[in-house]
């Protein structure tokens, strides 16, 4: 079920992008508003036809302008979660979900309830959208998109219309849901944090062009790729396990490189999480510092130094089996005479890690859906 | 009380609504969703019957449907009688004259259906026809209903255009509005009064019933 997309256009916005998403993979299209990322998503869904484009899923051609093929949206097996969910306001949650099923589906009501349970919304089947909160509406929209049994799942800024607390919960739910999904998933977002938390691969879209595509870790460490989104977004993801919730409000996590203390992280002890550590929040020291307020000091060694045109450099630090990134000034790197292979200590202030920079780690996939 | 005239008016209004219902859905939806260069012109043409005096409109219809016109000649050849001075002639005039009342509110109704909801219907695998029946009409129906009520009530009350189309044949073209006019001409003020009051009552009942019904359904939906 590989999704392959190529799109070129001059108007209304210039487009020149191609990318692919493998089955079960989540590809994030990251870009500012007006960058063309939503237009690319609409091209996949069949809601927009660029001058030159080709969209294939699992070898099936949905759109090929050169060959004159253009399946209408209702003939493409695509699941779309719209930015404002676009639920049918006159239907209940269950009816919304059933509306996306094949008319030949046996026992659609039971299937709708199963899907609503899958998105953590059991017991709300008979509510109308107006009686649901934003987060609940989003869950119905996801269930509806899955009810189509899509060959590609498209998420258009699905978290932008809910408050921050709800968004954090929904991130975890999407991560959990992915264990049940076998189709490629394309997420459109302007939020780099969201992309890093959720995506396997990232394509940065700028002025209609995919300026960089690669694994999330690669792209998020690449100052060139992130220039469009802001170089301060450079960050690494550190896998860890919740070990203890301390009385003083800190949560102790164990990463491969050692313990991490962060402000309260929701989740029972034993939960696997991934923590996004911003490169500009990391301080490097040659020796383990003493008498420092920062709670997290991870020993590691320099794996590489990326120098750009600006005053800063990105230092890749190997900590245990993981890597974190430090964005320091070139002057500091020179003063420390940092070289690849050097032993360093990476210092991370507990309070520098925001709550929404922590997400549950994906579970191993299990066949379902 | 001229029952024949009243029933003729109701029959005319009913047929006009029956014909304009699909027309208003198709045209209103088209005007609501599509953007094209001549859209303003099309909307102006649809609105024209609203601003022209019925006499002007009736005059042109008389010219267009008369025995010497191509349409009139075709009708004469096909059905053996002329189009003007018949119920069919009135109906055609009524349909054309009510286009603005039927299309405008329906167009507003379809415009109220959010674009992304329509797109979601397509992405849920609904064909355009299924999307119309299951998503668009259930959301646009207040507009379509208003269109039909206005058309019905307006047909009941139409006078000028029917006068121009030869509306004085009892049971064929003499509607209630014409009958009232005839009574007044004949100084039968009591008869005119009864028929006027009946017309007021029917129109008021139709519109009020519609509004109350739509308010109730609206409450249930929200």
């Amino acid at each position: 079920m590989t999704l392959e997309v190529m799109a070129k256009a001059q108007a209304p916005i210039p487009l020149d992008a191609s990318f692919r998403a493998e089955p079960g993979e989540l590809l994030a299209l990251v870009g500012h508003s007006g960058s063309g990322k939503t237009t690319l998503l609409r091209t996949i869904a069949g809601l927009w036809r660029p001058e030159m484009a080709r969209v294939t899923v699992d070898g099936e051609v949905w759109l090929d302008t050169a060959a004159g093929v253009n399946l209408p949206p209702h003939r493409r097996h695509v699941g779309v979660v719209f930015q404002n969910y676009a639920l049918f306001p006159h239907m209940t949650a269950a009816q919304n979900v059933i509306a996306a099923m094949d008319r030949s589906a046996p026992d659609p009501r039971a299937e709708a309830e199963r899907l609503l349970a899958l998105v953590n919304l059991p017991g709300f089947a008979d509510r109308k959208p107006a009686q649901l909160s934003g987060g609940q509406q989003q869950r119905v929209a996801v269930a509806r998109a899955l009810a189509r049994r899509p060959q590609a799942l498209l998420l258009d800024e699905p978290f932008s219309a809910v408050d921050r607390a709800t968004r954090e919960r929904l991130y975890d739910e999407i991560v959990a849901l992915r264990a049940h999904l076998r189709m490629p998933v394309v997420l459109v977002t302007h939020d780099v944090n969201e992309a890093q938390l959720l995506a396997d691969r990232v394509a940065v879209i700028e002025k209609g062009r995919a300026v960089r595509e690669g694994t999330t870790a690669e792209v998020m460490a690449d100052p060139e790729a992130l220039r469009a989104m802001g170089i301060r977004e450079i960050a690494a993801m550190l896998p860890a396990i919740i070990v203890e919730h301390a009385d003083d409000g800190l949560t102790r996590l164990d990463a491969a490189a050692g313990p991490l203390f962060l402000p309260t992280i929701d989740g029972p002890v034993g939960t696997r999480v991934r923590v996004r550590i911003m490169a500009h929040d990391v301080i490097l020291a040659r020796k383990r510092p003493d008498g420092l307020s920062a709670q997290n000091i991870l020993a590691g060694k320099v794996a590489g130094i990326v120098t750009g045109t600006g005053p800063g450099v990105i230092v890749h630090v190997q900590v245990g089996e993981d890597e974190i990134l430090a964005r320091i000034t070139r002057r500091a790197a020179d003063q420390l005479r940092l070289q690849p292979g050097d032993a360093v200590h990476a210092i991370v202030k507990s309070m520098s890690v925001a709550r929404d920079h922590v997400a549950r780690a994906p579970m191993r996939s299990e066949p379902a859906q | 009380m001229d029952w024949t005239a009243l029933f003729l008016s109701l029959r005319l209004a009913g047929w006009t609504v029956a014909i304009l219902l699909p027309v208003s859905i198709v045209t209103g939806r088209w005007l609501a969703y599509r953007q094209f260069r001549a859209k303003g012109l099309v909307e102006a043409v649809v609105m024209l019957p609203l601003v022209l005096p019925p006499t002007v409109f009736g005059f042109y219809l008389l010219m267009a449907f008369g025995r010497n016109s191509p349409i009139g000649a075709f009708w004469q050849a096909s059905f053996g009688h002329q189009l003007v001075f018949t119920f069919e002639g009135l109906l055609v005039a009524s349909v054309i004259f009510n286009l603005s009342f039927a299309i405008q509110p329906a167009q507003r109704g379809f415009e109220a259906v959010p674009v992304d909801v329509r797109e979601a219907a397509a992405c849920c695998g609904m064909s355009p026809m299924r999307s119309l029946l299951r998503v668009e009409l259930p959301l646009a129906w207040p507009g379509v209903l208003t269109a039909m009520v206005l058309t019905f009530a307006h047909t009941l009350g139409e006078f000028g255009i029917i006068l121009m189309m030869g509306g004085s044949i009892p049971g064929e073209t003499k509607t209630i509005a014409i009958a009232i006019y005839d009574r007044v001409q004949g100084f039968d003020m009591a008869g005119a009064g009864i028929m006027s009051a009946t017309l007021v009552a029917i129109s008021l009942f139709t519109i009020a019933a519609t509004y109350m019904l739509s308010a109730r359904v609206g409450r249930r939906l929200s």
Side-chain angles (χ1 to χ4, degrees):
Chain A
M1 268 202 270
T2 306
L3 168 72
E4 289 182 85
V5 180
M6 181 281 287
K8 284 190 169 79
Q10 301 297 320
I13 58 160
L15 279 186
D16 186 3
S18 60
F19 53 86
R20 58 188 286 154
E22 301 296 335
E25 181 178 80
L26 194 152
L27 171 74
L29 304 181
V30 185
H32 291 300
S33 49
S35 62
K37 56 193 191 304
T38 294
T39 307
L40 289 169
L41 201 78
R42 294 172 61 81
T43 303
I44 303 171
L47 300 169
W48 176 253
R49 188 182 64 83
E51 288 149 34
M52 261 183 66
R54 191 176 151 84
V55 176
T56 61
V57 174
D58 203 15
E60 186 182 320
V61 180
W62 282 0
L63 172 66
D64 188 344
T65 50
V69 179
N70 183 14
L71 290 190
H74 68 274
R75 303 268 307 280
R76 304 182 184 198
H77 268 266
V78 67
V80 184
V81 176
F82 289 82
Q83 184 163 5
N84 293 304
Y85 317 131
L87 295 177
F88 307 129
H90 57 299
M91 297 184 192
T92 63
Q95 287 167 340
N96 264 279
V97 176
I98 291 168
M101 291 178 196
D102 272 349
R103 270 188 278 180
S104 59
D107 203 353
R109 172 78 196 190
E111 174 69 358
E113 284 179 1
R114 187 186 73 81
L115 286 166
L116 288 171
L118 191 66
V119 296
N120 290 323
L121 206 59
F124 289 85
D126 296 319
R127 299 262 190 106
K128 293 264 176 69
Q131 299 167 304
L132 297 172
S133 71
Q136 290 167 337
Q137 290 183 25
Q138 195 250 30
R139 292 176 178 99
V140 176
V142 171
R144 184 178 69 176
L146 293 176
R148 179 103 176 95
R149 298 187 171 276
Q151 288 171 283
L153 179 62
L154 310 179
L155 312 173
D156 184 9
E157 300 270 9
F159 309 101
S160 62
V162 292
D163 60 65
R164 191 168 146 162
T166 307
R167 195 180 310 155
E168 287 163 28
R169 247 193 339 273
L170 292 174
Y171 286 163
D172 287 344
E173 291 185 10
I174 289 287
V175 168
L177 181 67
R178 286 198 48 209
H180 303 273
L181 305 182
R182 287 180 302 185
M183 75 291 283
V185 184
V186 181
L187 166 73
V188 157
T189 181
H190 64 275
D191 187 329
V192 180
N193 177 52
E194 196 167 292
Q196 188 156 22
L197 252 45
L198 302 176
D200 303 308
R201 294 177 68 81
V202 171
V204 179
I205 310 293
E206 192 187 0
K207 296 193 183 108
R209 290 177 53 241
V211 293
R212 177 82 154 87
E213 192 202 339
T215 67
T216 305
E218 280 167 16
V219 174
M220 294 302 168
D222 182 350
E224 280 304 312
L226 284 185
R227 176 145 301 153
M229 301 310 298
I231 211 144
R232 290 177 60 85
E233 292 286 356
I234 291 176
M237 291 297 277
L238 204 59
I241 298 179
I242 296 178
V243 176
E244 185 198 354
H245 295 292
D247 294 338
D248 62 356
L250 287 187
T251 296
R252 179 187 155 151
L253 302 156
D254 272 356
L260 271 178
F261 294 90
L262 298 179
T264 311
I265 293 169
D266 295 327
V269 168
T271 307
R272 293 178 168 278
V273 296
R274 292 152 76 232
V275 184
R276 185 172 185 235
I277 294 179
M278 308 302 295
H280 60 74
D281 284 332
V282 176
I283 297 169
L284 295 182
R286 276 280 186 193
K287 289 188 220 116
R288 176 172 277 272
D290 188 26
L292 199 66
S293 71
Q295 294 296 307
N296 305 301
I297 301 172
L298 302 171
K301 66 172 199 259
V302 176
I305 300 173
V306 179
T307 316
T309 50
V313 297
I314 308 293
V315 183
H316 292 241
V317 181
Q318 183 84 31
V319 288
E321 296 157 16
D322 309 310
E323 190 173 88
I324 65 172
L325 303 170
R327 183 161 164 255
I328 59 175
T329 58
R330 189 183 305 171
R331 180 178 302 185
D334 289 343
Q335 284 167 356
L336 293 176
R337 286 190 215 83
L338 288 180
Q339 294 294 328
D342 288 358
V344 284
H345 291 84
I347 300 153
V348 182
K349 263 173 72 75
S350 297
M351 290 304 177
S352 69
V353 177
R355 276 175 79 98
D356 61 353
H357 284 196
V358 181
R360 302 277 169 105
M363 281 167 280
R364 270 165 291 281
S365 50
E366 45 192 88
Q369 172 54 38
Chain B
M1 181 66 205
D2 189 342
W3 291 106
T4 313
L6 178 63
F7 284 127
L8 181 71
S9 281
L10 290 173
R11 194 153 65 98
L12 182 64
W15 274 107
T16 305
V17 165
I19 293 172
L20 282 177
L21 178 64
V23 171
S24 73
I25 291 173
V26 170
T27 316
R29 189 187 192 216
W30 175 60
L31 286 174
Y33 298 170
R34 291 296 173 87
Q35 300 301 324
F36 53 95
R37 202 182 293 261
K39 187 170 173 176
L41 186 63
V42 173
E43 286 177 318
V45 169
V46 167
M47 288 300 282
L48 211 51
L50 210 57
V51 291
L52 282 180
T55 46
V56 171
F57 213 76
F59 170 75
Y60 281 117
L61 287 179
L62 207 53
M63 292 290 103
F65 297 160
R67 204 184 313 213
N68 300 324
S69 73
I71 300 173
F74 168 77
W75 193 274
Q76 180 87 36
S78 307
F79 299 99
H81 61 85
Q82 55 174 334
L83 188 52
V84 286
F85 307 117
T86 62
F87 179 74
E88 290 91 335
L90 276 198
L91 182 56
V92 173
S94 175
V95 163
I96 297 175
F97 193 59
N98 274 299
L99 278 177
S100 17
F101 292 90
I103 292 174
Q104 260 266 338
Q107 181 184 345
R108 298 287 166 264
F110 282 106
E111 279 169 355
V113 182
V115 179
D116 61 349
V117 168
R118 271 159 42 206
E119 291 177 342
C123 292
C124 282
M126 293 187 202
S127 64
M129 180 53 94
R130 201 166 156 74
S131 168
L132 171 68
L133 295 178
R134 293 212 49 196
V135 175
E136 294 162 46
L137 271 181
L139 296 174
W141 73 266
V144 176
L145 184 68
T146 305
M148 293 306 108
V149 171
L150 282 178
T151 300
F152 187 85
H154 180 239
T155 309
L156 280 188
E158 184 43 42
F159 175 73
I161 204 165
I162 291 168
L163 196 66
M164 293 295 285
M165 294 295 285
S168 57
I169 305 165
E172 186 69 29
T173 59
K174 190 176 184 178
T175 62
I176 184 90
I178 302 287
I180 293 168
Y181 181 68
D182 281 357
R183 294 295 170 96
V184 174
Q185 292 283 296
F187 299 105
D188 178 6
M189 290 309 188
I194 291 171
M195 286 198 270
S196 297
T198 310
L199 198 56
V200 168
I202 292 176
S203 301
L204 191 65
F205 172 79
T206 312
I207 298 177
T210 314
Y211 280 160
M212 287 191 291
L213 179 78
S214 57
R216 218 165 82 189
V217 176
R219 265 202 308 277
R220 213 178 59 210
L221 274 179
S222 61

